[in-house]
């Protein structure tokens, strides 16, 4: 009887714990926002293993902690640790879970050979249950608990439940990563497409219209009948106008102003240019670029930078490119230096003409010429920031 009763009691107990586990797993799988998922896993772990502390660390591609969520400490304890030692460094037992990914269940972690000690300000802990979070052969991080409520040791049931949770966590982490990658790719695809269309318009359509307008303009003085000459001149004006319209379309096709600040946009333009340049430009950003530059100038600065870097990539044959964007005394300056073949004055086509026009429209200035030491090319574009 006692056995039957015992087993029955056990089953009920298991059932009581299985339900929240299932709920936790289902809710984990349905959320694609990684930090939210991790937070749920940690709080589920703490409830399911009935313990005081639960934490989860995810390791990024560089081997460092990329995400860290902890439950159970007071805000003061967290603040103090953040201020003194920051997040766990993955030494000792936490490192062990990654380097030798297997469950670690200890009655007293302080006696373990790999125990590294806890930093000052960390609440004391002895009971420990740590499981690696992994999927197939990749270890994503670890989930670890300490101090079961009531002082008991973690048992094998806790172990099984937390292992199940860690498995779900591994899937959730990968799910969230794949989702954000696919979103990124989608976004990137759209931008690439727009840029390709803009380039085609700029490189092909505008050039052809220019050529047509110029050859027409050249023949007008050979036309004897005044009426015909006027008509041809009208066509030339029309072509000029079309070029202007296409320019504004190109401008509109460039990535739109969005919530992203100027700094981030400068960085992404520079990053995108590294491929075509075959090198990574140095970058110097100074001043309150995100808050103290109006949308118009900031928009233009990004376009200017893009053209300057594209010129450096296409014409300069440089081994070094320096980008400077600064806000100083109310002026927004974009400066691009390259140590390449140098710029011959007079060579000015639609790209540079466009930069000049953008500077003039905003009451600013534009210069292109030899670099500081006489070598290479320096382009300087400056406009009032507001
Ligand atoms: N960084 C540079 N180094 C050397 N030469 C340059 C540099 N930037 C521009 N040039 C020269 O100046 C010319 C004019 O540049 P511009 O941007 O106006 O036209 P483009 O790049 O040839 O054509 P696009 O109209 O597509 O921009 C280039 O063709 C090139 O000869
Ligand atoms: Mg150009």
């Amino acid at each position: 009887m006692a056995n039957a009763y015992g087993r029955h009691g056990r089953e009920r107990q298991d059932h009581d714990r299985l339900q929240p586990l299932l709920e936790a797993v289902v809710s984990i799988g349905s959320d694609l926002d990684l930090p939210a998922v991790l937070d749920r896993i940690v709080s589920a772990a703490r409830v399911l293993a009935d313990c005081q502390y639960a934490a989860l660390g995810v390791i990024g591609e560089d081997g460092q902690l990329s995400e860290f969520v902890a439950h159970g400490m007071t805000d003061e304890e967290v603040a103090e640790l953040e201020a003194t030692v920051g997040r766990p460094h993955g030494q000792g037992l936490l490192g062990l879970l990654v380097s030798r990914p297997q469950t670690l269940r200890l009655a007293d972690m302080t006696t373990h050979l790999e125990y590294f000690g806890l930093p000052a300000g960390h609440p004391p802990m002895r009971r420990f249950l740590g499981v690696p979070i992994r999927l197939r052969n990749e270890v994503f991080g670890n989930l670890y608990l300490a101090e079961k409520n009531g002082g008991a040791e973690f048992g094998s049931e806790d172990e099984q439940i937390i292992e199940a949770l860690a498995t779900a966590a591994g899937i959730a982490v990968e799910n969230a990563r794949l989702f954000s990658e696919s979103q990124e790719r989608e976004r990137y695809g759209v931008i690439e497409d727009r840029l390709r269309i803009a380039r085609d318009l700029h490189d092909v359509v505008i050039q052809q219209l220019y050529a047509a307008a110029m050859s027409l303009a050249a023949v007008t003085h050979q036309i004897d009948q005044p009426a015909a000459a006027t008509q041809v001149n009208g066509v030339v004006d029309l072509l000029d106008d079309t070029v202007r319209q296409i320019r504004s379309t190109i401008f509109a096709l460039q990535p739109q102003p969005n919530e992203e600040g100027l700094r981030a946009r400068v960085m992404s333009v520079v990053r995108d240019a590294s491929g075509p340049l075959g090198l990574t430009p140095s970058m110097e950003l100074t001043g309150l670029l995100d808050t103290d530059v109006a949308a118009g100038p900031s928009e233009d600065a990004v376009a200017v930078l893009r053209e300057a870097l594209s010129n450096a990539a296409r014409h300069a044959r440089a081994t070094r490119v320096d980008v400077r964007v600064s806000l100083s005394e109310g002026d927004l300056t974009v400066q691009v230096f390259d140590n390449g073949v140098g710029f011959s004055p007079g060579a000015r086509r639609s790209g540079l003409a466009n930069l000049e026009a953008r500077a003039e429209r905003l009451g600013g200035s534009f210069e292109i010429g030899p670099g500081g030491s006489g070598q290479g090319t320096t382009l300087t574009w400056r406009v009032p920031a507001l």
Side-chain angles (χ1 to χ4, degrees), residues 199 202-203 207 307-308 311-312 314-316 338 341-344 347-353 368 377:
R199 264 242 88 82
H202 173 232
D203 290 356
Q207 312 299 344
E307 172 65 22
N311 277 354
R314 286 161 60 206
H315 312 301
D338 69 68
V341 297
F343 170 81
S344 359
R348 199 166 282 210
R349 293 175 52 203
S350 61
L352 293 178
I368 181 165
T377 302

Side-chain angles (χ1 to χ4, degrees), residues 61-115:
E61 277 160 33
D62 56 359
Q64 304 287 313
L65 269 186
S66 66
E67 310 269 352
F68 179 68
V69 184
H71 285 194
M73 291 192 195
T74 64
D75 291 347
E76 293 80 57
E77 281 166 335
V78 172
E80 157 134 32
L81 284 171
E82 287 279 341
T84 52
V85 286
R87 294 161 158 196
H89 302 298
Q91 289 147 322
L93 296 178
L94 299 185
L96 188 63
L97 285 171
V98 175
S99 62
R100 238 177 303 145
Q102 49 190 248
T103 298
L104 206 57
R105 177 155 59 94
L106 306 168
D108 184 355
M109 66 167 122
T110 63
T111 62
H112 192 278
L113 273 179
E114 307 265 341
Y115 180 69

